[in-house]
Amino acid sequence: MNKNTLFQHGTMQMLVEGLLEGTLPLSELLKHGNIGIGTGDGVDGELVILDGVGYKIDVSGPAVKLPDDFKVTYADVGFADYHKFKSYQNVKLTEMLKDVLTKNNAQNQFFAILTKGVFQKIRTRSSKKSRKPYPSLGEIAENQVEFEAENISGTMITYYTPTVFQGIGVSGFHNHFLADDLSFGGHVLAATVKDVTVSVQPIENFELHLSIDNQEFLNANLSDTSNLDNVISKSE
Amino acid sequence: MNKNTLFQHGTMQMLVEGLLEGTLPLSELLKHGNIGIGTGDGVDGELVILDGVGYKIDVSGPAVKLPDDFKVTYADVGFADYHKFKSYQNVKLTEMLKDVLTKNNAQNQFFAILTKGVFQKIRTRSSKKSRKPYPSLGEIAENQVEFEAENISGTMITYYTPTVFQGIGVSGFHNHFLADDLSFGGHVLAATVKDVTVSVQPIENFELHLSIDNQEFLNANLSDTSNLDNVISKSE
């Protein structure tokens, strides 16, 4: 396995179309990386994988360490091999990430960004686990819970996905956060950093794993992709 | 490496946008598979990889065995592990492939199909190698050369790509043909089979390799994907 490989289980299209079943045990996912983001069975919280340990931030708030048999619906993981890029102070997250991407000329490739330090303000969200029959990702997004924190130390894991991969992943930046003390985290909606160090890892190989034994996936009608962009923009 | 992995070098979007430089030597590509299809530097012919040997069908007609240092622009390869599915007689290619896909319930996954036997009639095309500054894939398609053969024995390598991957690959079926006697081949435009055996290999992992050292790729503007579907449909 090349170190600069991003392994992805599932697609965003599957989430949009309500294929929310957890189809990969965490223990299997961890064979493909020690750092990453994702979501669990029925969109059971927002996942953060850090130093080979899986955490879930669900609607209760604090991060919970996950068991090996936790079922993952969607995830992006890799083996951490970041190199330090730059420190940033007192800047909005969107500006910071744009600067990182532009200065690394990385807009056409998958690109992993790791941000460690103090966040001045950060707003995250998490979702409540759904059970079958699953609602659409759009309906789940309407029922999400939001959290806010100030002056919090932690790690933000970001994957940048080029435009043409919208629907496979989330095109643009996809950020999950985990506080150092595990008290807070989730899918990042907005943030301003106070004092952080940004490291980067260019991705050369994108390895997508599909659950070709899952009958619901195989039987789904996934031929209409016209509404994908709209739903992903709203819910991610 | 999982046997049911499809390794792809480059994207169709890159071809559409005129990024036609060969960025991977054949010898490197062959580490990821012993069967496959693709194209070379400047769209230098249509490639067929069979039993670990690379062939090119260019505008001159017959297949030419390729040297190890031949540079590949785009390719899909895997390690052959097909199982026999069914025999077909006297049927149009489009109908046959649709039947194979439907009976295998494979519309949502990458799916490799191998067709061996006698083709009643087959029409293929190839393209002339372009040099920098490269024309667009649309312009190249206008200057393609077409070939026809009847009652010809050979192998057709097909990859089916689900709809959401349009622009990354060619969504739908992508077929290249090589005659047993190497006298004929290319990108298949239409065919009727006479008596063939179809084998299939479901793909679980799709591994995409991008040339993140290639400056033209990194500097290209690939953010507008609105015309992709149209150009690919016309040229593939």
Short mmCIF file of all heavy atoms in Angstrom, two decimals, chain A residues 49-102:
data_model
loop_
_atom_site.label_atom_id
_atom_site.label_comp_id
_atom_site.label_asym_id
_atom_site.label_seq_id
_atom_site.Cartn_x
_atom_site.Cartn_y
_atom_site.Cartn_z
N ILE A 49 -11.02 9.27 13.00
CA ILE A 49 -10.01 8.25 13.29
C ILE A 49 -8.68 8.97 13.45
O ILE A 49 -8.27 9.73 12.56
CB ILE A 49 -9.96 7.19 12.18
CG1 ILE A 49 -11.25 6.37 12.21
CG2 ILE A 49 -8.76 6.28 12.34
CD1 ILE A 49 -11.79 6.06 10.86
N LEU A 50 -8.06 8.76 14.60
CA LEU A 50 -6.83 9.49 14.91
C LEU A 50 -5.87 8.53 15.59
O LEU A 50 -6.27 7.83 16.54
CB LEU A 50 -7.18 10.67 15.82
CG LEU A 50 -6.20 11.83 15.89
CD1 LEU A 50 -5.95 12.45 14.52
CD2 LEU A 50 -6.74 12.91 16.86
N ASP A 51 -4.64 8.47 15.10
CA ASP A 51 -3.64 7.56 15.65
C ASP A 51 -4.17 6.13 15.75
O ASP A 51 -3.90 5.42 16.73
CB ASP A 51 -3.17 8.05 17.04
CG ASP A 51 -2.54 9.44 16.98
OD1 ASP A 51 -1.90 9.74 15.95
OD2 ASP A 51 -2.70 10.22 17.93
N GLY A 52 -4.94 5.73 14.76
CA GLY A 52 -5.41 4.36 14.70
C GLY A 52 -6.58 4.04 15.61
O GLY A 52 -6.97 2.87 15.74
N VAL A 53 -7.15 5.07 16.26
CA VAL A 53 -8.29 4.86 17.16
C VAL A 53 -9.53 5.53 16.56
O VAL A 53 -9.45 6.67 16.10
CB VAL A 53 -8.01 5.44 18.56
CG1 VAL A 53 -9.21 5.21 19.49
CG2 VAL A 53 -6.74 4.83 19.15
N GLY A 54 -10.66 4.82 16.56
CA GLY A 54 -11.89 5.38 16.01
C GLY A 54 -12.75 6.01 17.09
O GLY A 54 -12.95 5.42 18.17
N TYR A 55 -13.24 7.23 16.83
CA TYR A 55 -14.14 7.93 17.74
C TYR A 55 -15.41 8.30 16.99
O TYR A 55 -15.37 8.57 15.79
CB TYR A 55 -13.50 9.22 18.26
CG TYR A 55 -12.20 9.03 18.99
CD1 TYR A 55 -10.99 9.09 18.31
CD2 TYR A 55 -12.19 8.79 20.37
CE1 TYR A 55 -9.78 8.91 18.98
CE2 TYR A 55 -10.98 8.62 21.05
CZ TYR A 55 -9.79 8.68 20.35
OH TYR A 55 -8.61 8.50 21.01
N LYS A 56 -16.50 8.39 17.76
CA LYS A 56 -17.76 8.85 17.20
C LYS A 56 -18.24 10.05 18.00
O LYS A 56 -18.18 10.03 19.24
CB LYS A 56 -18.78 7.72 17.30
CG LYS A 56 -20.21 8.11 17.08
CD LYS A 56 -21.16 6.93 17.20
CE LYS A 56 -21.61 6.71 18.64
NZ LYS A 56 -22.81 5.83 18.74
N ILE A 57 -18.65 11.10 17.30
CA ILE A 57 -19.32 12.21 17.97
C ILE A 57 -20.77 12.13 17.55
O ILE A 57 -21.10 12.35 16.38
CB ILE A 57 -18.71 13.58 17.57
CG1 ILE A 57 -17.25 13.65 18.00
CG2 ILE A 57 -19.51 14.72 18.19
CD1 ILE A 57 -16.27 13.30 16.91
N ASP A 58 -21.63 11.73 18.48
CA ASP A 58 -23.04 11.65 18.10
C ASP A 58 -23.81 12.80 18.75
O ASP A 58 -23.20 13.76 19.24
CB ASP A 58 -23.63 10.27 18.43
CG ASP A 58 -23.63 9.97 19.91
OD1 ASP A 58 -23.54 10.91 20.72
OD2 ASP A 58 -23.75 8.79 20.26
N VAL A 59 -25.13 12.76 18.73
CA VAL A 59 -25.93 13.91 19.19
C VAL A 59 -25.77 14.19 20.68
O VAL A 59 -26.14 15.26 21.16
CB VAL A 59 -27.43 13.72 18.86
CG1 VAL A 59 -27.64 13.88 17.36
CG2 VAL A 59 -27.94 12.37 19.33
N SER A 60 -25.15 13.25 21.43
CA SER A 60 -24.95 13.49 22.86
C SER A 60 -23.79 14.46 23.11
O SER A 60 -23.65 14.98 24.21
CB SER A 60 -24.71 12.17 23.59
OG SER A 60 -23.50 11.58 23.16
N GLY A 61 -22.92 14.67 22.11
CA GLY A 61 -21.88 15.69 22.24
C GLY A 61 -20.46 15.19 22.31
O GLY A 61 -19.73 15.28 21.33
N PRO A 62 -20.00 14.65 23.44
CA PRO A 62 -18.60 14.26 23.56
C PRO A 62 -18.25 13.06 22.67
O PRO A 62 -19.13 12.31 22.25
CB PRO A 62 -18.46 13.85 25.03
CG PRO A 62 -19.69 14.31 25.72
CD PRO A 62 -20.75 14.41 24.69
N ALA A 63 -16.95 12.90 22.39
CA ALA A 63 -16.50 11.78 21.56
C ALA A 63 -16.51 10.49 22.35
O ALA A 63 -16.20 10.47 23.54
CB ALA A 63 -15.11 12.07 21.03
N VAL A 64 -16.86 9.42 21.67
CA VAL A 64 -16.91 8.09 22.28
C VAL A 64 -15.98 7.19 21.49
O VAL A 64 -16.02 7.18 20.25
CB VAL A 64 -18.35 7.52 22.18
CG1 VAL A 64 -18.42 6.12 22.74
CG2 VAL A 64 -19.34 8.44 22.85
N LYS A 65 -15.11 6.46 22.18
CA LYS A 65 -14.22 5.52 21.50
C LYS A 65 -15.04 4.36 20.95
O LYS A 65 -15.93 3.85 21.64
CB LYS A 65 -13.15 5.03 22.49
CG LYS A 65 -11.96 4.39 21.81
CD LYS A 65 -10.95 3.83 22.78
CE LYS A 65 -10.13 2.78 22.06
NZ LYS A 65 -9.34 1.95 22.95
N LEU A 66 -14.76 3.96 19.73
CA LEU A 66 -15.58 2.95 19.07
C LEU A 66 -15.00 1.55 19.20
O LEU A 66 -13.78 1.37 19.18
CB LEU A 66 -15.72 3.28 17.58
CG LEU A 66 -16.46 4.59 17.27
CD1 LEU A 66 -16.35 4.89 15.78
CD2 LEU A 66 -17.91 4.49 17.69
N PRO A 67 -15.88 0.55 19.32
CA PRO A 67 -15.42 -0.84 19.33
C PRO A 67 -15.03 -1.30 17.92
O PRO A 67 -15.45 -0.71 16.92
CB PRO A 67 -16.65 -1.61 19.82
CG PRO A 67 -17.81 -0.76 19.39
CD PRO A 67 -17.34 0.67 19.44
N ASP A 68 -14.24 -2.35 17.85
CA ASP A 68 -13.76 -2.89 16.57
C ASP A 68 -14.89 -3.28 15.61
O ASP A 68 -14.73 -3.21 14.40
CB ASP A 68 -12.93 -4.17 16.81
CG ASP A 68 -11.52 -3.84 17.27
OD1 ASP A 68 -11.18 -2.63 17.30
OD2 ASP A 68 -10.78 -4.77 17.60
N ASP A 69 -16.01 -3.69 16.18
CA ASP A 69 -17.09 -4.19 15.33
C ASP A 69 -18.09 -3.10 14.95
O ASP A 69 -19.13 -3.40 14.36
CB ASP A 69 -17.81 -5.39 15.99
CG ASP A 69 -18.47 -4.99 17.31
OD1 ASP A 69 -18.25 -3.84 17.78
OD2 ASP A 69 -19.21 -5.83 17.87
N PHE A 70 -17.78 -1.85 15.26
CA PHE A 70 -18.63 -0.73 14.85
C PHE A 70 -18.71 -0.73 13.33
O PHE A 70 -17.71 -0.83 12.62
CB PHE A 70 -18.03 0.59 15.34
CG PHE A 70 -18.85 1.80 14.99
CD1 PHE A 70 -19.91 2.19 15.80
CD2 PHE A 70 -18.56 2.56 13.86
CE1 PHE A 70 -20.67 3.32 15.48
CE2 PHE A 70 -19.32 3.68 13.53
CZ PHE A 70 -20.37 4.06 14.35
N LYS A 71 -19.93 -0.59 12.79
CA LYS A 71 -20.12 -0.68 11.34
C LYS A 71 -20.09 0.69 10.68
O LYS A 71 -20.86 1.58 11.06
CB LYS A 71 -21.45 -1.37 11.03
CG LYS A 71 -21.48 -2.85 11.40
CD LYS A 71 -20.54 -3.68 10.54
CE LYS A 71 -20.91 -5.15 10.57
NZ LYS A 71 -21.07 -5.68 11.93
N VAL A 72 -19.25 0.81 9.68
CA VAL A 72 -19.03 2.07 8.98
C VAL A 72 -19.80 2.08 7.66
O VAL A 72 -19.76 1.12 6.90
CB VAL A 72 -17.52 2.27 8.72
CG1 VAL A 72 -17.27 3.50 7.88
CG2 VAL A 72 -16.77 2.35 10.05
N THR A 73 -20.51 3.19 7.40
CA THR A 73 -21.27 3.35 6.16
C THR A 73 -20.42 4.03 5.09
O THR A 73 -20.44 3.66 3.91
CB THR A 73 -22.53 4.21 6.42
OG1 THR A 73 -23.30 3.57 7.42
CG2 THR A 73 -23.35 4.41 5.17
N TYR A 74 -19.69 5.04 5.52
CA TYR A 74 -18.88 5.86 4.61
C TYR A 74 -17.65 6.31 5.37
O TYR A 74 -17.75 6.70 6.53
CB TYR A 74 -19.69 7.08 4.15
CG TYR A 74 -18.92 8.06 3.28
CD1 TYR A 74 -19.00 7.98 1.89
CD2 TYR A 74 -18.13 9.06 3.85
CE1 TYR A 74 -18.29 8.87 1.09
CE2 TYR A 74 -17.42 9.95 3.04
CZ TYR A 74 -17.51 9.86 1.67
OH TYR A 74 -16.81 10.74 0.88
N ALA A 75 -16.50 6.25 4.73
CA ALA A 75 -15.28 6.73 5.40
C ALA A 75 -14.18 7.02 4.40
O ALA A 75 -14.13 6.43 3.31
CB ALA A 75 -14.78 5.70 6.41
N ASP A 76 -13.33 7.97 4.76
CA ASP A 76 -12.08 8.26 4.06
C ASP A 76 -10.95 8.09 5.06
O ASP A 76 -10.94 8.77 6.10
CB ASP A 76 -12.06 9.73 3.57
CG ASP A 76 -12.90 9.94 2.32
OD1 ASP A 76 -12.68 9.21 1.34
OD2 ASP A 76 -13.76 10.83 2.33
N VAL A 77 -10.02 7.20 4.76
CA VAL A 77 -8.89 7.00 5.67
C VAL A 77 -7.58 6.89 4.89
O VAL A 77 -7.58 6.60 3.68
CB VAL A 77 -9.04 5.73 6.56
CG1 VAL A 77 -10.27 5.80 7.44
CG2 VAL A 77 -9.06 4.47 5.70
N GLY A 78 -6.49 7.10 5.60
CA GLY A 78 -5.17 6.94 5.01
C GLY A 78 -4.14 6.72 6.10
O GLY A 78 -4.47 6.76 7.29
N PHE A 79 -2.91 6.44 5.67
CA PHE A 79 -1.84 6.33 6.65
C PHE A 79 -1.15 7.69 6.73
O PHE A 79 -0.63 8.20 5.73
CB PHE A 79 -0.87 5.21 6.27
CG PHE A 79 -1.48 3.86 6.50
CD1 PHE A 79 -2.03 3.14 5.44
CD2 PHE A 79 -1.56 3.34 7.77
CE1 PHE A 79 -2.64 1.91 5.66
CE2 PHE A 79 -2.17 2.10 8.00
CZ PHE A 79 -2.71 1.39 6.94
N ALA A 80 -1.18 8.27 7.94
CA ALA A 80 -0.68 9.63 8.15
C ALA A 80 0.80 9.73 7.77
O ALA A 80 1.63 8.98 8.28
CB ALA A 80 -0.88 10.03 9.60
N ASP A 81 1.09 10.62 6.84
CA ASP A 81 2.47 10.90 6.46
C ASP A 81 2.54 12.37 6.05
O ASP A 81 3.07 12.72 5.00
CB ASP A 81 2.88 9.97 5.29
CG ASP A 81 4.37 10.03 5.02
OD1 ASP A 81 5.14 10.34 5.94
OD2 ASP A 81 4.77 9.78 3.86
N TYR A 82 1.98 13.19 6.91
CA TYR A 82 1.86 14.63 6.65
C TYR A 82 3.22 15.31 6.83
O TYR A 82 4.03 14.86 7.64
CB TYR A 82 0.88 15.26 7.64
CG TYR A 82 -0.55 14.79 7.50
CD1 TYR A 82 -0.98 13.60 8.10
CD2 TYR A 82 -1.48 15.53 6.79
CE1 TYR A 82 -2.30 13.16 7.98
CE2 TYR A 82 -2.81 15.11 6.67
CZ TYR A 82 -3.20 13.92 7.26
OH TYR A 82 -4.50 13.50 7.14
N HIS A 83 3.44 16.36 6.08
CA HIS A 83 4.60 17.22 6.37
C HIS A 83 4.10 18.63 6.70
O HIS A 83 3.10 19.10 6.14
CB HIS A 83 5.61 17.22 5.23
CG HIS A 83 5.08 17.71 3.93
ND1 HIS A 83 4.48 16.89 2.99
CD2 HIS A 83 5.03 18.97 3.41
CE1 HIS A 83 4.10 17.62 1.95
NE2 HIS A 83 4.42 18.88 2.18
N LYS A 84 4.81 19.28 7.61
CA LYS A 84 4.38 20.60 8.09
C LYS A 84 4.37 21.60 6.94
O LYS A 84 5.32 21.68 6.16
CB LYS A 84 5.32 21.09 9.20
CG LYS A 84 4.73 22.29 9.92
CD LYS A 84 5.65 22.89 10.95
CE LYS A 84 5.19 24.34 11.17
NZ LYS A 84 5.91 25.02 12.26
N PHE A 85 3.29 22.35 6.83
CA PHE A 85 3.21 23.36 5.78
C PHE A 85 3.37 24.77 6.35
O PHE A 85 4.28 25.50 5.94
CB PHE A 85 1.88 23.22 5.03
CG PHE A 85 1.64 24.32 4.03
CD1 PHE A 85 2.52 24.51 2.98
CD2 PHE A 85 0.56 25.19 4.17
CE1 PHE A 85 2.32 25.55 2.07
CE2 PHE A 85 0.36 26.21 3.26
CZ PHE A 85 1.24 26.40 2.21
N LYS A 86 2.54 25.15 7.32
CA LYS A 86 2.52 26.55 7.75
C LYS A 86 1.70 26.69 9.02
O LYS A 86 0.84 25.86 9.30
CB LYS A 86 1.85 27.37 6.63
CG LYS A 86 2.31 28.80 6.48
CD LYS A 86 1.60 29.46 5.31
CE LYS A 86 1.33 30.92 5.62
NZ LYS A 86 0.58 31.59 4.57
N SER A 87 1.96 27.77 9.79
CA SER A 87 1.11 28.11 10.93
C SER A 87 0.16 29.23 10.53
O SER A 87 0.50 30.06 9.67
CB SER A 87 1.95 28.56 12.12
OG SER A 87 2.67 27.46 12.63
N TYR A 88 -1.02 29.21 11.12
CA TYR A 88 -2.01 30.26 10.83
C TYR A 88 -2.55 30.79 12.15
O TYR A 88 -2.75 30.02 13.10
CB TYR A 88 -3.19 29.69 10.02
CG TYR A 88 -2.86 29.40 8.57
CD1 TYR A 88 -2.35 28.16 8.19
CD2 TYR A 88 -3.09 30.36 7.58
CE1 TYR A 88 -2.07 27.89 6.85
CE2 TYR A 88 -2.80 30.08 6.25
CZ TYR A 88 -2.29 28.85 5.89
OH TYR A 88 -2.01 28.57 4.58
N GLN A 89 -2.79 32.12 12.20
CA GLN A 89 -3.38 32.75 13.39
C GLN A 89 -4.58 33.59 12.97
O GLN A 89 -4.53 34.30 11.96
CB GLN A 89 -2.37 33.67 14.10
CG GLN A 89 -1.28 32.94 14.89
CD GLN A 89 -0.14 32.49 14.01
OE1 GLN A 89 0.15 33.13 13.00
NE2 GLN A 89 0.48 31.38 14.36
N ASN A 90 -5.63 33.50 13.78
CA ASN A 90 -6.78 34.40 13.69
C ASN A 90 -7.31 34.57 12.26
O ASN A 90 -7.36 35.67 11.74
CB ASN A 90 -6.40 35.79 14.26
CG ASN A 90 -5.84 35.67 15.66
OD1 ASN A 90 -6.41 34.98 16.49
ND2 ASN A 90 -4.72 36.33 15.91
N VAL A 91 -7.67 33.47 11.66
CA VAL A 91 -8.20 33.53 10.30
C VAL A 91 -9.39 32.58 10.19
O VAL A 91 -9.47 31.57 10.91
CB VAL A 91 -7.08 33.20 9.27
CG1 VAL A 91 -6.53 31.81 9.51
CG2 VAL A 91 -7.57 33.36 7.84
N LYS A 92 -10.31 32.95 9.33
CA LYS A 92 -11.46 32.08 9.10
C LYS A 92 -11.02 30.79 8.43
O LYS A 92 -10.14 30.81 7.55
CB LYS A 92 -12.48 32.79 8.20
CG LYS A 92 -13.34 33.77 8.94
CD LYS A 92 -14.54 34.16 8.08
CE LYS A 92 -15.48 35.06 8.88
NZ LYS A 92 -16.57 35.58 8.05
N LEU A 93 -11.69 29.71 8.80
CA LEU A 93 -11.32 28.40 8.26
C LEU A 93 -11.36 28.38 6.73
O LEU A 93 -10.44 27.86 6.08
CB LEU A 93 -12.29 27.34 8.81
CG LEU A 93 -12.07 25.92 8.31
CD1 LEU A 93 -10.70 25.40 8.71
CD2 LEU A 93 -13.16 24.98 8.82
N THR A 94 -12.41 28.93 6.15
CA THR A 94 -12.55 28.89 4.69
C THR A 94 -11.37 29.59 4.00
O THR A 94 -10.84 29.09 3.00
CB THR A 94 -13.86 29.56 4.23
OG1 THR A 94 -13.99 30.81 4.92
CG2 THR A 94 -15.06 28.70 4.55
N GLU A 95 -10.95 30.72 4.56
CA GLU A 95 -9.80 31.45 3.98
C GLU A 95 -8.52 30.64 4.14
O GLU A 95 -7.68 30.58 3.24
CB GLU A 95 -9.63 32.80 4.66
CG GLU A 95 -10.65 33.83 4.21
CD GLU A 95 -10.60 35.09 5.06
OE1 GLU A 95 -9.50 35.53 5.45
OE2 GLU A 95 -11.69 35.63 5.34
N MET A 96 -8.36 30.06 5.32
CA MET A 96 -7.15 29.28 5.59
C MET A 96 -7.03 28.10 4.62
O MET A 96 -5.99 27.88 4.00
CB MET A 96 -7.17 28.77 7.03
CG MET A 96 -5.89 28.04 7.41
SD MET A 96 -5.98 27.24 9.04
CE MET A 96 -6.71 25.66 8.58
N LEU A 97 -8.13 27.36 4.46
CA LEU A 97 -8.08 26.17 3.60
C LEU A 97 -7.84 26.56 2.14
O LEU A 97 -7.10 25.87 1.41
CB LEU A 97 -9.38 25.36 3.74
CG LEU A 97 -9.57 24.66 5.09
CD1 LEU A 97 -10.95 24.00 5.14
CD2 LEU A 97 -8.47 23.64 5.37
N LYS A 98 -8.45 27.66 1.72
CA LYS A 98 -8.25 28.15 0.36
C LYS A 98 -6.77 28.49 0.13
O LYS A 98 -6.19 28.19 -0.91
CB LYS A 98 -9.13 29.38 0.13
CG LYS A 98 -9.39 29.69 -1.32
CD LYS A 98 -10.35 30.85 -1.48
CE LYS A 98 -10.21 31.43 -2.88
NZ LYS A 98 -10.97 32.68 -3.04
N ASP A 99 -6.17 29.12 1.14
CA ASP A 99 -4.76 29.49 1.06
C ASP A 99 -3.88 28.24 0.97
O ASP A 99 -2.95 28.17 0.17
CB ASP A 99 -4.39 30.33 2.29
CG ASP A 99 -2.98 30.90 2.19
OD1 ASP A 99 -2.78 31.79 1.33
OD2 ASP A 99 -2.09 30.46 2.93
N VAL A 100 -4.18 27.25 1.80
CA VAL A 100 -3.40 26.00 1.80
C VAL A 100 -3.49 25.33 0.42
O VAL A 100 -2.48 24.92 -0.16
CB VAL A 100 -3.91 25.02 2.90
CG1 VAL A 100 -3.23 23.67 2.77
CG2 VAL A 100 -3.70 25.62 4.29
N LEU A 101 -4.70 25.25 -0.10
CA LEU A 101 -4.90 24.58 -1.39
C LEU A 101 -4.19 25.32 -2.52
O LEU A 101 -3.49 24.70 -3.34
CB LEU A 101 -6.40 24.49 -1.70
CG LEU A 101 -6.74 23.51 -2.81
CD1 LEU A 101 -6.63 22.08 -2.31
CD2 LEU A 101 -8.13 23.76 -3.37
N THR A 102 -4.34 26.63 -2.54
CA THR A 102 -3.76 27.44 -3.61
C THR A 102 -2.24 27.38 -3.55
O THR A 102 -1.58 27.16 -4.58
CB THR A 102 -4.23 28.90 -3.46
OG1 THR A 102 -5.66 28.92 -3.43
CG2 THR A 102 -3.75 29.75 -4.63
#
